[in-house]
Amino acid sequence: MDFSDSPKEAAFRAEAKAWLASNVPSAAELDGLDPLTAAKLWQKRKYDAGWACITWPKEFGGRGASAIEQVIWNQEESKFQGLPGGVFSIGQGMAAPTLMTWANDEAKARFIPKLASGEEIWCQLFSEPAGGSDLAALRTRAVKDGDEWVINGQKIWTSGAHYSDWAILVVRTDPSVPKHKGLTYFYINMKSPGVEVKPIKQISGEAHFNEVYFTDVRVPDSQRLGAVGQGWQVSLTTLMNERASIGAGGSAVGFDSVFKLAQKVEIDDRPAIENASVRAKLADWYCQESGLRYTAYRTLTALSRGAIPGPENSIGKLVGAPKTQDMASFAMDLLEQAGAIRDESLSEEMALYQNTYLSIPGLRIAGGTDEIMANIIAERVLGLPQDVRVDKGIPFSEVPTGGAK
Amino acid sequence: MNFEFSEDQNLLREQARGFLADNCPTTVVRKVLNAETGHDADLWRKVVDMGWTATAIPEEFGGLGLGYLELCVIAEELGRAVAPIPFSSSVYLATEALLLAGSQAQKEKWLPKLAAGEVIGTFAMAEGAGRTTAKSIKTRVSGGRITGTKVPVPDAAVAGIAVVLAGHNGGDGGTLCLVELGQGTSVTPVRTVDPSRGHAELRLDGAACEILGREGEGFTLTQTILDRAAVLFAWEQVGGSEAALEQARAYALGRYAFGRPIASYQAIKHKLANMYVKNTLARSNCYYGAWALNANAPELRVAAATARVSATQAYYFASKENIQTHGGMGYTWEFDCQFYYRRAKLLSVAIGSEALWQDRLITAIEQNTAA
Ligand SMILES: Cc1cc2nc3c(=O)[nH]c(=O)nc-3n(C[C@H](O)[C@H](O)[C@H](O)COP(=O)(O)OP(=O)(O)OC[C@H]3O[C@@H](n4cnc5c(N)ncnc54)[C@H](O)[C@@H]3O)c2cc1C
């Protein structure tokens, strides 16, 4: 066990640091660019220099770096605040590992490098009005027609569908068998005729996710991943990687920001940080953050020895999202009445805490809710029995439903 | 960077676990609890024979000269077994105090005896209720004689030597003293919430003592001793916490209510998942602590407090919810749930409460960011 850099790792860190120092886009360079263009600019620059998706093999645009080198890179890159990004996480974190596992060589060569370079953005067409937590209850239908499949139905909550080029998609190909057995997995071009994207406005007022409607959308059979009816297994590859990547993503609201805030604001004319209850809360959050960080590092050590991401990764999301929510709420309390102000020109750190307070509920739901994460840990890590399921073993077409209306 | 124990260390863990399964089943804990003997002398002798008390002591002082990672491995297993022996007092505290502050002569005299288990050591800090601060200490030392009352002192009834924190009018307000128990000292057992680990009141009536380190440095030295011990205590706590989760899991799978195993109800599933999450975070923080302790890294102060706070919380949670998972059975003297619940609280106040360590953590971070 050694938490410090080996000489080789130190050299890698120095190289990463040096490259970042001279290549991170300046504020002036990004000024006036929309977030998507800015994100693409930074991603392409990393890609051209071999710093994108560094653990991927060279032929896919990476540099075959080790998991530990990925940790080092993340540590160094995250030292620069406010770098554009975010839009690539679904493609790089979920679509790419699924393609790497299930696609043929031709498809891998065609799609994966463009995921690394950020030239093509992917979204995830999984959830439906009738199937969120219960993803396998989805109803969007695909029917075979010669060498093609014809798709009809609706997806919902699709993050980034409005700017995505491609998508991973699970659909029902056979309603006459039990629900997990009748699914098939495809990737599709978002510009296909018959695909219609409608934005959904969130609590925060923004619209990052969408409804996506399919009307007689034709997808070639060559875009199928896995066998017909094997869609659930392919989805699990995506979901395992989803939890790993969501868990790893940090929020700007964390120990460092709230600690600084507590040093700055006062309680009864003394810095808030001197207050015992403030200290106790901050200490707990520090312990959670640190525990998550070293749990992730330990997982990486295991991955670098050939393990695949397992259900243990659900911890990151299950702990991280509620922690961020509580910290944003607590930071607003520290501001007392002014905690309510969301006006960016008047509020601490351009309303970081208020904006986070409004956006964070989504993170406790996206990618599997807290309750589903707890179930996954209970069932797949601790080996406890599955919930009693009334839909088990019966044809999907006979399963009772009641949608979100 | 490498975030795992080595193969040798994992082998050591397997050996330790096997040894304790054979020699410290919970019947041994129960025996001490029933008889209120404070510790199991037989088990202690066997542990000494295994060389565990000598683990981190350098070879020149009769030890094995292994590192602290090995000691962490052993601590975890002792915690898992809820071992009723004076290991933490003698090894994490007294031995560490001597290694840190002892003169060459003091080390030569005592470390080989501690390594060989010929002498048991302890550490006497508290003087009744409240946090021990430089100001609160009433025990005084002068002219090589020490006077005062320390309570509770773990394992005082079986200890041959005690490292005692006395007050001092200058310096940092404290002086560490090495006291041979016997002449001028008296020990009165006190009941604690965990009678499987003996505690006592230690009265010092002008007992002969030697200064450990320098006069007026004792409070500062104590902080370092506590940081180092905190990592080892945290490993014991994580070991116990994991055992509590395993016990809860086994019971939940076997106990039926309303025609189903109680482990199939989400309230129970999520409770156990929650234990697993807390245990995992604590364990990962303990890794960090183990590394910092072993490398004597500048990060030790933060790492130790982080490990300590999360392990304290995890063990408390797992031990109380283990009882809850067992229903009425969990509340009985007959069932083993009580061992974890008792030990969790004993360990959580042993070297300072959760709140104290939360405060130490933030203080350490403040110092780092100010530097
Ligand atoms: C910000 C955001 C972005 C998203 N992005 C995408 C995306 O890009 N692509 C995509 O496909 N989907 C996306 N989703 C959808 C997301 O995966 C689902 O919302 C989520 O899985 C929950 O499903 P649901 O909304 O249908 O809620 P439901 O499944 O109806 O859940 C409602 C409540 O019931 C609880 N519940 C459900 N089942 C159980 C159970 N078995 N045990 C205990 N409690 C249960 C849930 O925990 C929740 O509290 C996104 C969601 C959000 C909020």
Side-chain angles (χ1 to χ4, degrees), chain A residues 123 275 336:
Chain A
C123 63
N275 179 289
E336 292 292 337

Side-chain angles (χ1 to χ4, degrees), chain A residues 1-3 9 72 273 279-280 284 286-287 290-291 294-295 297-298 301 319 375 379 382 385 387-388, chain B residues 1-4 249 260 263 266 269-270 276-277 284-285 287-288 291 302 306 313 358-359 362-363 366:
Chain A
M1 195 183 312
D2 188 356
F3 283 54
E9 288 158 0
I72 295 174
I273 191 68
R279 295 172 84 76
D284 286 354
Y286 185 89
C287 289
S290 158
Y294 298 124
T295 300
Y297 289 1
R298 284 172 56 210
T301 301
V319 175
N375 258 11
E379 293 172 13
L382 298 176
D387 291 351
V388 169
Chain B
M1 289 187 280
N2 160 19
F3 306 105
E4 270 312 326
R249 177 181 176 275
R260 289 158 56 182
Q266 275 196 357
K269 286 167 77 171
H270 290 191
Y276 172 83
V277 168
S284 297
N285 283 328
Y287 271 62
Y288 182 43
W291 166 77
V302 167
T306 306
Q313 294 175 346
Q358 285 169 324
D359 191 60
I362 298 301
T363 303
E366 284 173 321

Side-chain angles (χ1 to χ4, degrees), chain A residues 90 94 122-135 155-161 168 202 208-210 239 242-243 246 359-373 375 379 387-389 402-404, chain B residues 266 270:
Chain A
I90 290 173
M94 303 179 219
W122 287 56
C123 63
Q124 178 196 18
L125 294 165
F126 278 28
S127 303
E128 296 190 8
S133 300
D134 187 8
L135 174 62
K155 295 287 174 178
I156 194 168
W157 320 125
T158 318
S159 304
I168 44 180
Q202 305 137 207
H208 290 311
F209 56 16
N210 307 272
L239 296 177
E242 171 166 34
R243 274 141 213 167
I246 290 186
S359 63
I360 198 69
L363 205 61
R364 293 185 51 196
I365 298 164
T369 64
D370 289 1
E371 291 76 17
I372 294 297
M373 292 297 128
N375 258 11
E379 293 172 13
D387 291 351
V388 169
R389 293 222 328 253
Chain B
Q266 275 196 357
H270 290 191

